[in-house]
Amino acid sequence: MSSSAVDARLGLLTYKNDHESHISIKNQDVCANQCKDKPCVALCPAAVYTWDDVKKNTKVQYENCIECGGCRMICPYLNIDCHWPRGGFGVAYKYG
Amino acid sequence: MPDDIFDAVIVGAGPAGSACALTAAAGGANVALLERGEYPGAKNVQGAVLYAKHLDAVVPQFWKDPSFPGERNITEQRVVVTSGREDWINFSFRGGRYKTEPPNCFTIIRTKFDQWFAKKAEEKGAQLFTGVTVSEPIRTNGSVKGVKTSDAEELNAHCVVACDGVNSLIAQKLGVIDEWKMDEVAMGVKEVLAIPKEKIDDRFALEGNEGLTIEFFGSISQGMIGYAFLYTNKESLSLGVGAKLSDLRRKMIKPYDLLDFVKTHPLISRLIKDAKPLEYSAHLIPEGGLHSMPPLYGDGFLIAGDAAQMVNPTHREGSNLAMTAGHLAGQTIVEAKKNNDFSKSALAAYERKIKASYVWPDLWEHRNVEKNVEKDPSILEVYPRLLCEAMYHHFTADDRPKKEHKKETMKMFLKERGLFKMIQDAWRLRDAIG
Ligand SMILES: Cc1cc2nc3c(=O)[nH]c(=O)nc-3n(C[C@H](O)[C@H](O)[C@H](O)COP(=O)(O)OP(=O)(O)OC[C@H]3O[C@@H](n4cnc5c(N)ncnc54)[C@H](O)[C@@H]3O)c2cc1C
């Protein structure tokens, strides 16, 4: 249910996508070896983060980001670097 | 970017930033207002209820401006307490006095409001630059003297005002705050739902430009500190839910699943029936209050609004505190310019103004409310349930005398909570209602 619950919602939004990501995982080893319950995957309101169980890494779909800033606090290992997109890029709400 | 030295560079064109820019420019200061969104409001989310009194202080008689983008004047405010999925209690206050212009408060669409407000600041002479992300403040000899942007441009100023919202990069780079902790913020998720005006009027018993707000407490927040809200706009409804980030983390609930839980509640699903989603959004809300507030001023800088944790969550007030703080920061800049003194001691006037306004006493009064609830979060679930049980006994007619129903209700309260605990709860929650 969750993925469709978020996909349809993100489909309503307008983005101006930058070619470079404003989000990065500082150290994938931390995700693979230390992080048990992956709170970024559960709690990001735009499903930016997914856990790839084959490659054992956290995938970041920065294009989905709606810039709430929560991920930096959610990560128990402070392993997410999320800064603002360059000026004018990213999500552009029509209502807000 | 212009080369001149501004009296102030204001970062962020939300309620705090535009109020600050407008007031400072109207007082003769030369100010730049920088906004990272493509337009003011592009990044911003609010319920959104806005309070008239505090906007009137910045834009006198704003409601007479034909371009003012107000939605509905709020004449009725309702609280719904939910227990389980099927039981709920309504409290509603409809105030005839709220029908007068200006209203006490009204609903807005933030993107429209923010663009209008920034334009008002421009009309007073503030220079607005959109699509500009500030990356850090520039310090010279310990004093803040301007900002750098993500496009490596520099802007010089006698002072910088951080009005950049809850994730204040400026306050972090100034070294006055760290990253917020999860229990210092809430996450709000929201949808705007299109629905014809007549349907809104019929469903909520409204006429003309009257509007209604509803806040839902109790089982709706699944044991987390938070609440759901439903506000009426002209031709849309704003439906959202917020919960402490630390609580979402504890429960590992996806924010959009929580929103679906709210949308499918039997009462809410009826109120939003046939309404079509226009937009989904998410944003953090500062909830640390006074305990988390950074120093409000320093050598060459001021901090206002969400960036300084100026939110009163029990009254869903944030935008008004932000506008008032921005206004007072703007006045401080005008005085600093007059005296040609932007030092820390000159800018201290801002904090004195905040303390003399309603902002400080309100934050002071509410400083411990959430901490008190966190001591025993069962409060959030127990009382809604007991209240619904009490109502059930009150309204149920059966073979037993009313006296027995009353007795049973009393027994239930004493058994489930106990007299001592109830007194303790009342004491803990005393500031939430005031
Ligand atoms: C779901 C939800 C519901 C709410 N409901 C209500 C309500 O009904 N009533 C109420 O009064 N309050 C409500 N609030 C709170 C209210 O929205 C905030 O308190 C208010 O917006 C704070 O204003 P501000 O100007 O301080 O910050 P913001 O409105 O966040 O504005 C900050 C601005 O700075 C810009 N910015 C940020 N960083 C940079 C940078 N580095 N460079 C350039 N620009 C930058 C942003 O794009 C933004 O425009 C709600 C909040 C949420 C999330």
Side-chain angles (χ1 to χ4, degrees):
Chain A
M1 154 169 162
S2 287
S3 80
S4 67
V6 71
D7 288 348
R9 290 187 161 116
L10 298 178
L12 298 168
L13 296 172
T14 314
Y15 295 92
K16 188 168 163 193
N17 271 325
D18 203 348
H19 48 80
E20 61 185 84
S21 174
H22 61 283
I23 309 172
S24 60
I25 302 292
K26 294 179 196 167
N27 181 357
Q28 286 283 0
D29 292 344
V30 171
C31 305
N33 303 324
Q34 288 182 48
C35 186
K36 299 250 159 6
D37 54 355
K38 316 278 186 268
C40 62
V41 175
L43 300 178
C44 170
V48 166
Y49 305 95
T50 41
W51 175 246
D52 186 330
D53 211 24
V54 179
K55 292 193 188 135
K56 301 281 174 218
N57 66 13
T58 306
K59 246 175 63 189
V60 178
Q61 266 174 285
Y62 75 93
E63 302 91 337
N64 283 0
C65 178
I66 48 181
E67 299 164 40
C68 75
C71 55
R72 298 193 308 264
M73 303 160 210
I74 288 165
C75 177
Y77 305 96
L78 302 176
N79 196 30
I80 297 175
D81 179 6
C82 173
H83 49 267
W84 297 134
R86 287 188 297 146
F89 288 95
V91 72
Y93 286 125
K94 293 278 181 292
Y95 300 87
Chain B
M1 286 281 155
D3 292 331
D4 24 340
I5 299 179
F6 288 96
D7 291 315
V9 164
I10 298 150
V11 185
S18 287
C20 178
L22 193 154
T23 303
N30 178 20
V31 299
L33 177 60
L34 309 185
E35 168 55 47
R36 70 185 188 89
E38 215 179 330
Y39 43 85
K43 308 292 184 185
N44 301 341
V45 180
Q46 188 175 331
V49 176
L50 200 82
Y51 296 85
K53 179 87 189 151
H54 317 105
L55 180 55
D56 187 30
V58 189
V59 185
Q61 305 215 313
F62 66 89
W63 60 93
K64 293 188 176 157
D65 177 352
S67 67
F68 175 69
E71 289 284 315
R72 283 177 187 252
N73 294 354
I74 300 306
T75 45
E76 184 168 345
Q77 308 213 28
R78 185 172 299 166
V79 173
V80 175
V81 179
T82 66
S83 171
R85 286 297 256 184
E86 289 290 342
D87 293 354
W88 59 81
I89 300 171
N90 275 314
F91 302 95
S92 212
F93 176 62
R94 198 274 191 180
R97 278 162 292 178
Y98 293 148
K99 283 181 76 170
T100 51
E101 292 274 5
N104 169 53
C105 60
F106 45 90
T107 42
I108 51 163
I109 302 286
R110 268 297 293 269
T111 54
K112 289 190 200 164
F113 174 77
D114 286 11
Q115 290 180 73
W116 173 86
F117 202 18
K119 192 146 183 279
K120 290 287 141 191
E122 280 187 289
E123 285 169 12
K124 294 287 178 194
Q127 292 189 52
L128 170 70
F129 300 92
T130 54
V132 177
T133 301
V134 172
S135 52
E136 59 184 314
I138 302 170
R139 277 200 201 247
T140 322
N141 301 328
S143 181
V144 179
K145 289 289 176 202
V147 294
K148 243 187 221 146
T149 77
S150 64
D151 293 324
E153 292 197 71
E154 293 191 1
L155 226 71
N156 301 311
H158 297 306
C159 77
V160 169
V161 192
C163 298
D164 53 338
V166 57
N167 291 291
S168 180
L169 186 81
I170 308 302
Q172 282 184 27
K173 292 262 163 114
L174 285 169
V176 294
I177 59 167
D178 287 327
E179 196 76 79
W180 301 125
K181 306 271 177 317
M182 275 189 287
D183 62 357
E184 292 178 295
V185 294
M187 165 134 13
V189 282
K190 180 189 155 184
E191 270 179 12
V192 179
L193 303 155
I195 175 167
K197 178 180 186 313
E198 308 76 64
K199 273 206 178 155
I200 297 179
D201 291 350
D202 283 355
R203 244 174 239 187
F204 298 94
L206 301 168
E207 250 177 29
N209 199 31
E210 294 174 350
L212 169 90
T213 63
I214 313 179
E215 265 96 18
F216 303 83
F217 296 89
S219 56
I220 201 80
S221 70
Q222 300 193 20
M224 301 184 284
I225 295 185
Y227 57 83
F229 60 86
L230 180 65
Y231 302 150
T232 55
N233 303 318
K234 276 198 175 104
E235 299 197 292
S236 62
L237 298 170
S238 292
L239 175 70
V241 56
K244 275 252 175 139
L245 197 54
S246 45
D247 281 354
L248 282 165
R249 166 74 174 108
R250 185 166 50 82
K251 296 231 164 191
M252 288 290 260
I253 296 177
K254 291 182 193 295
Y256 36 90
D257 286 349
L258 180 63
L259 189 56
D260 278 338
F261 178 77
V262 168
K263 283 181 82 172
T264 52
H265 182 276
L267 171 59
I268 298 170
S269 64
R270 285 169 223 188
L271 295 174
I272 63 168
K273 189 166 172 266
D274 298 329
K276 192 174 129 282
L278 294 171
E279 187 174 80
Y280 165 71
S281 56
H283 203 280
L284 295 183
I285 306 166
E287 303 226 337
L290 217 52
H291 291 298
S292 304
M293 186 183 270
L296 299 177
Y297 63 95
D299 255 322
F301 73 86
L302 299 169
I303 308 180
D306 276 12
Q309 286 267 355
M310 293 175 179
V311 167
N312 176 350
T314 50
H315 286 61
R316 66 144 129 76
E317 292 181 25
S319 57
N320 53 332
L321 281 71
M323 288 192 293
T324 300
H327 183 52
L328 299 176
Q331 288 177 352
T332 308
I333 291 163
V334 173
E335 290 159 14
K337 180 184 166 81
K338 207 175 281 162
N339 303 324
N340 197 19
D341 181 3
F342 288 86
S343 66
K344 187 172 175 178
S345 63
L347 296 182
Y350 169 59
E351 189 181 272
R352 288 196 294 273
K353 289 179 203 292
I354 292 280
K355 287 192 168 165
S357 75
Y358 71 95
V359 173
W360 190 272
D362 282 1
L363 291 174
W364 174 260
E365 199 184 344
H366 292 85
R367 71 195 182 286
N368 293 327
V369 172
E370 292 196 0
K371 283 198 183 332
N372 283 341
V373 176
E374 270 165 356
K375 280 184 197 151
D376 186 0
S378 68
I379 288 180
L380 301 167
E381 185 272 329
V382 171
Y383 285 105
R385 186 161 49 78
L386 290 178
L387 283 174
C388 282
E389 284 307 310
M391 286 292 170
Y392 175 76
H393 279 287
H394 182 79
F395 289 116
T396 303
D398 55 17
D399 296 335
R400 291 182 295 169
K402 294 281 179 248
K403 227 166 118 184
E404 270 186 34
H405 278 288
K406 268 191 212 150
K407 244 192 189 159
E408 200 176 313
T409 308
M410 284 304 286
K411 256 169 70 188
M412 187 182 62
F413 271 85
L414 290 172
K415 181 170 162 267
E416 292 240 0
R417 210 62 186 171
L419 198 56
F420 174 72
K421 200 111 175 73
M422 285 194 283
I423 293 168
Q424 191 183 39
D425 293 341
W427 179 251
R428 280 183 176 165
L429 291 174
R430 70 195 181 282
D431 295 331
I433 308 149

